[in-house]
Amino acid sequence: MTFDIGECRMSQLEFERQLVRLPADVKQFIREQAARNCSSQNSEIVRAVRARMEAEQERAVR
């Protein structure tokens, strides 16, 4: 199975596992966002990190 992610397809991406310890309030927020967006908690974490990456790139360009 493959999923479109921008110009990439998930089958083409490399994945690495990472254990992350989260404060309870952050975990609850991720759980709620995943339910609201009908997505996985992992997808919500990736979305948040990518948004931060984009913001950092925009800041570096200025």
Side-chain angles (χ1 to χ4, degrees), residues 2-3 5-6 17 21 23 25-26 28 30-31 38 42 45-46 53:
T2 60
F3 299 94
I5 302 178
R17 290 184 176 267
R21 291 187 202 106
D25 62 329
V26 173
Q28 182 62 34
I30 292 168
R31 185 180 298 123
C38 297
N42 187 78
I45 293 168
V46 171
M53 289 169 63

Side-chain angles (χ1 to χ4, degrees), residues 40-51:
S40 69
Q41 293 179 32
N42 187 78
S43 294
E44 291 301 321
I45 293 168
V46 171
R47 185 177 294 135
V49 171
R50 287 199 184 277

Side-chain angles (χ1 to χ4, degrees), residues 7-54:
E7 296 179 10
C8 300
R9 294 178 71 68
M10 284 186 72
S11 62
Q12 297 170 340
L13 297 176
E14 294 184 19
F15 295 93
E16 297 204 19
R17 290 184 176 267
Q18 175 70 45
L19 176 63
V20 178
R21 291 187 202 106
L22 301 171
D25 62 329
V26 173
K27 175 68 172 166
Q28 182 62 34
F29 177 79
I30 292 168
R31 185 180 298 123
E32 291 169 0
Q33 292 299 304
R36 179 176 296 129
N37 296 321
C38 297
S39 65
S40 69
Q41 293 179 32
N42 187 78
S43 294
E44 291 301 321
I45 293 168
V46 171
R47 185 177 294 135
V49 171
R50 287 199 184 277
R52 176 68 182 267
M53 289 169 63
E54 290 174 9

